[in-house]
Amino acid sequence: MANASGLLLLTMSRNDFTGPIPTNLGNLRDLMYLQLNGNRFGLNKLDDLSFIGSLTNCTNLRKLMLSKNQFGGVLPSSVANLSSKLETLSLGSNKISGSIPQEIGNLNNLYLLEIDDNMISGSIPESIGKLSKLQQLRIVTNNISGKIPSSIGNTTGLSYLAAAANKLEGRIPAELGNCTNLQALYLGSNRLTGVIPEQVIGISSLTIGLYLDLNEFTGSLPSQVGKLKNLGALSISGNKLTGEIPSALGDCQVLENLDLHGNFLDGAIPSSLDQLKGIQQLDLSQNNLSGQIPEFLGKLPLMRLNLSHNMFEGEVPKVGVFNNICAFSVVGKNMKLCGGIHPLHLPACPIKFSKKNKRAFPDKMIPLIIILPIVLLFGA
């Protein structure tokens, strides 16, 4: 195959090919697209990716797609010496180890870098900031550690950043707020700390999702969250956030999924959340929220509502989602709740008398108390 010197496109995607990749593919100097994804190439050996060195001779290479195979071994540093015209580098869902080479910044035309679901370690190189045309960075489910470099703010065309399920630590750099085209940000299941930067929580271009769950963020949820007017999903669960739920959250009227469970949030559920007309799943459990459960929650199109393990009190509504015992939960520390539908087995709520009714009863009885004895006396 390497003798087909005029070959421009070689694609064998989504088949069931096995075995190693020839190390002489570099003879195809005019090759522009090499797509081998979705097979069983590789032997899970150290030299599985040695053929990448020969591809540095392919100076017109634009796409290299090797994802969903069985490539093992270390990611070779020669990957940074591939064609400067390379636009797509896809290595996801393999068994690749090693680190991302510092020289990755040489690939200055790269718009997709995908290394999801491997065993990559080390840190995100500072040179990532040189990839000014980068639109998607996918490094989910690896062993990447260290801090997110501030240079990430130079990739202003970035629309999709997924780095969840790693070992990232330290603060989210405020410079990430420069990525004003970002539509999805996945940083969950790491070891990130500090406050959530206002510059990041307020990236108004976010539409697909913002996931900061299962980290160690502290402080309050910034009011800048209200700038996420077109966001579909927001999850900041499993952190150490304190303070009240900001009323500005009600401005996120497109939200379908809001998950704030497992923090230390307090105060009442803000009335502004009645503006979340598209909300389908709301999880506020395992916080320190208090006050009454707002009846407007039953008027929202909720399919799932979790308010368990808080300190709510008063009557549980019976409308909307509160009519389906399988769709909502109020278990746990909510010991002062009453009423609700029968399957909750909560005590009945006290009967409320208005002040008007309390005054009316004695006023009617006073004349009877005075007149009745007189009638009885003279009647005798």
Side-chain angles (χ1 to χ4, degrees), residues 114-172:
E114 179 190 37
I115 322 178
D116 287 357
D117 193 19
N118 278 285
M119 297 179 285
I120 300 294
S121 57
S123 59
I124 302 173
E126 190 75 27
S127 64
I128 203 81
K130 295 181 179 180
L131 303 178
S132 58
K133 296 183 180 180
L134 193 65
Q135 295 179 24
Q136 297 190 43
L137 176 60
R138 300 170 180 257
I139 52 176
V140 172
T141 316
N142 281 286
N143 296 314
I144 298 172
S145 58
K147 296 181 179 180
I148 301 173
S150 59
S151 64
I152 195 76
N154 297 331
T155 59
T156 53
L158 198 64
S159 63
Y160 193 102
L161 172 56
N166 279 287
K167 298 177 181 178
L168 295 171
E169 57 191 23
R171 296 172 178 262
I172 299 178

Side-chain angles (χ1 to χ4, degrees), residues 2-3 65 114 164 175-176 182 206 227 248 271 274 302 304 312 316:
N3 294 330
M65 303 181 70
E114 179 190 37
E175 290 82 356
L176 186 58
L182 204 60
L206 284 166
K227 294 182 179 180
S271 60
D274 68 351
L302 284 164
R304 179 63 183 155
F312 292 115
V316 177

Side-chain angles (χ1 to χ4, degrees), residues 51-316:
F51 68 93
I52 288 180
S54 71
L55 295 179
T56 58
N57 296 324
C58 306
T59 55
N60 290 314
L61 191 64
R62 284 173 169 77
K63 284 189 177 182
L64 178 57
M65 303 181 70
L66 305 174
S67 60
K68 297 181 180 178
N69 279 287
Q70 296 182 10
F71 294 118
V74 174
L75 181 64
S77 59
S78 58
V79 73
N81 297 326
L82 292 169
S83 171
S84 59
K85 298 178 183 178
L86 193 69
E87 299 171 350
T88 299
L89 178 58
S90 177
L91 303 168
S93 299
N94 282 288
K95 300 176 182 179
I96 303 171
S97 57
S99 59
I100 303 172
Q102 287 289 336
E103 297 79 12
I104 198 73
N106 295 343
L107 305 176
N108 52 21
N109 275 298
L110 206 61
Y111 74 80
L112 169 62
L113 176 57
E114 179 190 37
I115 322 178
D116 287 357
D117 193 19
N118 278 285
M119 297 179 285
I120 300 294
S121 57
S123 59
I124 302 173
E126 190 75 27
S127 64
I128 203 81
K130 295 181 179 180
L131 303 178
S132 58
K133 296 183 180 180
L134 193 65
Q135 295 179 24
Q136 297 190 43
L137 176 60
R138 300 170 180 257
I139 52 176
V140 172
T141 316
N142 281 286
N143 296 314
I144 298 172
S145 58
K147 296 181 179 180
I148 301 173
S150 59
S151 64
I152 195 76
N154 297 331
T155 59
T156 53
L158 198 64
S159 63
Y160 193 102
L161 172 56
N166 279 287
K167 298 177 181 178
L168 295 171
E169 57 191 23
R171 296 172 178 262
I172 299 178
E175 290 82 356
L176 186 58
N178 297 335
C179 300
T180 54
N181 293 304
L182 204 60
Q183 297 179 31
L185 178 59
Y186 298 88
L187 296 176
S189 299
N190 279 288
R191 302 171 181 174
L192 297 169
T193 57
V195 298
I196 299 172
E198 297 175 357
Q199 298 89 335
V200 175
I201 199 72
I203 300 177
S204 59
S205 60
L206 284 166
T207 54
I208 298 173
L210 173 57
Y211 289 83
L212 304 177
D213 50 300
L214 298 174
N215 281 284
E216 298 179 22
F217 293 117
T218 54
S220 59
L221 180 59
S223 61
Q224 283 76 8
V225 70
K227 294 182 179 180
L228 305 178
K229 298 182 184 300
N230 297 304
L231 186 67
L234 174 62
S235 178
I236 316 182
S237 61
N239 282 282
K240 300 177 181 178
L241 297 182
T242 55
E244 298 184 353
I245 299 173
S247 59
L249 195 56
D251 294 333
C252 307
Q253 297 183 19
V254 182
L255 267 181
E256 295 181 357
N257 189 338
L258 174 58
D259 189 352
L260 300 177
H261 88 269
N263 283 285
F264 300 102
L265 299 171
D266 55 32
I269 296 176
S271 60
S272 61
L273 295 194
D274 68 351
Q275 299 300 311
L276 302 181
K277 303 302 184 183
I279 195 74
Q280 296 181 21
Q281 298 189 56
L282 176 60
D283 193 341
L284 302 178
S285 62
Q286 299 178 51
N287 280 287
N288 296 318
L289 299 172
S290 57
Q292 289 191 311
I293 296 175
E295 190 162 344
F296 71 75
L297 291 177
K299 299 177 181 179
L300 296 175
L302 284 164
M303 299 175 63
R304 179 63 183 155
L305 173 64
N306 193 348
L307 302 176
S308 60
H309 298 284
N310 279 286
M311 294 184 288
F312 292 115
E313 59 185 53
E315 187 172 6
V316 177

